[in-house]
């Protein structure tokens, strides 16, 4: 009964459980997928701040396929305005790090095992009920477990989520795959805004991880092209900065929505990561914010007397502490999608001016880069 129960061993739930265990708080994790499930195919860009957290958890040194981003090139299609961010100008070793989601998941799984955190794989949670002293959850295999704090880190997929405070369907879909380009990437990432949606190229090993967002029908068309037609379409859409695109890996699609449910669910229940907010991937903020959710929740649990764990005052303090960072990330991401995914002439010119200002004003560059690296409180 005194164990904290974490629902979901995705990267956010796993980080939360590890951080709790590291601080001596008893925790158990329930994960719907079997232990040998194949990892997700998406690629994650981690901010420098995320690296610092993973280092403190002893996870960073387990990651072998990390590609640093030392420069970011930001531009818009068909109009003036380019901004470039460089790690050395900002005094950090890298602006971010690119790695496969599946590798992060595997490293976290090993770390949980070594820390002797009990993780029950293949156990889906069907229901969570709040109570005065504790929350109870029902597993699909017929058990009922009680805990002073149930941490919902199910990626927003579980039943019984409270209605979101706000949500938006961007009617965009991300087409995701790895691509090889004619010129080596030299650790430079690209973010290119087009009227159809943003296109990101993230250096990943010898290749690029591509996140190409487009309206739903167009994305489905792009995803179904032959490899040769896909590579030609990408060249036409992105331009020739990296030369021609030579090879493409298997393509996957992800529908994109904004959902903000927030951390509050009921007494003794808290939501974190994608269960609390799901963002468009344009600025690579989703997991980075979820990681900070997990880290800060674990720190607060360690500082809370056992009798107060999960009570209304503790959950309100957590929500207050996270609000600025989370809403800052949600607002920034939503702003980028809405302001940059159109071809309205006055906005196009304003965007161009904004990018030129970013390029020309070092304090503005530092401000934007720090927020991307450390969140709204960076
Ligand atoms: C195309 C794309 C690109 C992205 N790129 C980036 C990026 O570059 N940088 C970044 O920071 N973010 C990025 N994101 C966002 C990032 O992927 C998510 O924010 C992150 O994966 C959320 O982690 P999570 O642990 O909260 O949820 P998830 O990764 O969804 O994990 C949830 C876990 O809970 C389990 N689960 C679900 N239901 C139950 C249940 N009922 N009982 C028990 N377990 C359950 C699931 O099996 C899963 O293991 C991207 C997203 C997309 C779609």
């Amino acid at each position: 009964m005194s164990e904290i129960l974490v629902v979901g061993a995705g990267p956010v739930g796993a980080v939360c459980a590890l951080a709790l265990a590291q601080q001596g708080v008893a925790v158990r994790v329930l994960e719907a997928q079997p232990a040998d499930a194949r990892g997700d195919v998406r690629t994650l860009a981690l901010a420098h701040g995320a690296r610092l957290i993973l280092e403190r958890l002893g996870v960073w040194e387990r990651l072998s396929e990390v590609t640093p981003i030392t420069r970011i090139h930001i531009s818009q299609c068909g109009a003036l305005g380019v901004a470039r961010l460089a790690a050395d100008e900002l005094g950090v070793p890298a602006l971010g790090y690119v790695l496969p989601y599946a590798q992060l998941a595997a490293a976290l799984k090993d770390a949980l095992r070594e820390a002797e955190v009990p993780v029950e794989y293949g156990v889906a949670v069907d229901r969570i009920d709040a109570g005065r002293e504790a929350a109870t959850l029902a597993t699909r295999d017929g058990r009922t477990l009680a805990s002073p704090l149930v941490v919902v880190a199910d990626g927003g997929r579980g039943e019984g989520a409270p209605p979101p405070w706000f949500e938006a369907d961007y009617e965009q879909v991300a087409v995701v795959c790895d691509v090889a380009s004619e010129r080596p990437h030299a650790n430079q990432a690209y973010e290119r805004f087009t009227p159809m949606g943003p296109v990101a190229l993230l250096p990943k090993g010898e290749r690029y991880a591509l996140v190409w967002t487009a309206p739903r029908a167009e994305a489905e068309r792009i995803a179904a092209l032959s490899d040769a037609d896909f590579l030609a379409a990408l060249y036409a859409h992105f331009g020739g900065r990296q030369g021609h695109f030579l090879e493409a890996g298997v393509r996957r699609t992800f529908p994109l929505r904004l959902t903000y449910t927030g951390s509050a669910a009921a007494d003794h229940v808290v939501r974190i990561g994608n269960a609390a907010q799901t963002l468009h991937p344009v600025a690579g903020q989703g997991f980075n914010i979820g990681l900070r959710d997990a880290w800060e929740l674990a720190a607060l649990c360690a500082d809370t007397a056992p009798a107060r764990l999960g009570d209304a005052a503790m959950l309100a303090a957590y929500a207050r502490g996270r609000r600025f960072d989370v809403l800052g990330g949600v607002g920034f991401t939503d702003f980028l999608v809405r302001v940059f995914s159109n071809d309205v002439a006055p906005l196009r010119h304003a965007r161009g001016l904004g990018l030129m200002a970013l390029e020309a004003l070092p304090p503005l560059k530092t401000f934007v880069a720090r927020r991307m690296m450390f969140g709204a409180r960076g």
Side-chain angles (χ1 to χ4, degrees):
M1 154 73 182
S2 60
E3 275 177 339
I4 290 181
L5 296 175
V6 177
V7 180
V12 171
V15 163
C16 185
L18 260 183
L20 285 166
Q22 203 176 61
Q23 308 203 47
V25 180
V27 56
R28 172 175 298 270
V29 186
L30 305 166
E31 165 57 47
Q33 294 194 49
D36 57 358
R38 284 194 58 206
D40 196 301
V41 294
R42 76 188 84 165
T43 297
L44 294 175
L46 302 192
H48 186 64
R51 171 183 175 158
L52 300 180
I53 292 179
L54 293 174
E55 277 177 355
R56 290 178 69 174
L57 291 172
V59 173
W60 185 257
E61 58 265 30
R62 296 171 189 268
L63 301 169
S64 55
E65 291 174 45
V66 176
T67 309
I69 301 173
T70 54
R71 287 175 300 146
I72 303 179
H73 183 286
I74 310 166
S75 63
Q76 58 172 338
C77 180
L80 285 176
V82 167
R84 281 164 279 236
L85 303 177
D88 50 2
E89 283 176 14
L90 294 155
V92 287
L95 295 165
Y97 303 88
V98 180
L99 79 167
Y101 175 110
Q103 201 202 94
L104 176 63
L108 286 165
K109 191 172 173 184
D110 289 349
L112 284 168
R113 194 181 49 241
E114 275 176 32
E116 298 182 2
V117 175
V119 183
E120 297 189 31
Y121 291 99
V123 176
V125 171
D126 277 344
R127 221 184 118 125
I128 302 170
D129 291 309
R132 271 170 58 88
E133 305 298 327
T136 49
L137 59 75
T139 61
R140 196 160 302 165
D141 59 10
R143 286 176 292 154
T144 302
L145 305 175
S147 169
L149 182 61
V150 172
V151 179
V152 182
D154 64 1
R157 285 192 279 261
E159 300 289 321
W165 285 96
F166 50 84
E167 61 183 328
D169 186 346
Y170 292 120
E171 298 188 356
Q172 288 183 354
V173 168
V175 180
V176 174
C177 69
D178 290 352
V179 289
S181 60
E182 202 175 354
R183 300 197 189 114
H185 57 59
N187 297 91
Q188 171 155 272
Y190 290 94
E191 186 77 69
R192 185 154 175 80
F193 293 98
T194 83
M196 289 208 303
V199 182
L201 282 174
L202 305 170
K204 182 184 178 198
E206 300 291 304
R207 294 182 159 215
Y208 270 113
L210 167 70
V211 184
W212 182 349
T213 53
R216 199 167 286 134
E218 177 62 6
E220 278 159 17
R221 187 190 71 78
I222 292 166
L225 290 172
S226 69
D227 278 4
D229 289 346
F230 176 77
L231 294 168
L234 177 60
Y235 182 80
H237 191 61
F238 176 76
R241 286 190 176 82
Q242 282 302 126
H244 287 280
F245 294 100
L246 307 174
E247 266 182 276
V250 178
R251 278 161 253 160
R252 301 265 193 262
T253 55
F254 293 84
L256 303 176
R257 292 180 70 77
L258 163 68
T259 309
Y260 176 74
T261 307
S263 66
D267 281 358
H268 301 283
V269 183
V270 63
R271 304 176 67 80
I272 62 171
N274 270 29
Q277 64 276 326
T278 306
L279 279 67
H280 191 292
V282 58
Q285 294 286 303
F287 172 63
N288 288 290
I289 292 176
L291 186 71
R292 297 194 290 272
D293 286 350
W295 182 252
E296 295 197 14
L297 178 64
L300 185 61
C301 289
D303 284 347
T304 301
R308 311 300 309 266
L309 211 54
D311 72 7
M314 188 205 120
L315 296 184
Y318 171 74
R320 259 196 320 277
R322 292 298 301 137
R323 196 166 294 138
F324 184 62
D325 183 26
V326 172
L327 290 179
V330 167
F332 175 59
T333 299
D334 191 49
F335 167 83
L336 287 181
V337 180
R338 290 181 194 282
V339 173
F340 279 88
S341 299
N342 63 66
D343 204 16
V344 180
L347 277 180
R348 196 168 58 235
H349 298 312
R351 289 190 304 249
L353 288 174
L355 289 175
M356 284 187 236
L358 184 59
E359 176 71 359
L361 299 173
L364 183 61
K365 258 189 196 181
T366 307
F367 177 85
V368 170
R370 284 196 65 82
R371 262 134 205 87
M372 290 183 74
M373 287 187 287
F374 301 109
R377 290 180 302 191

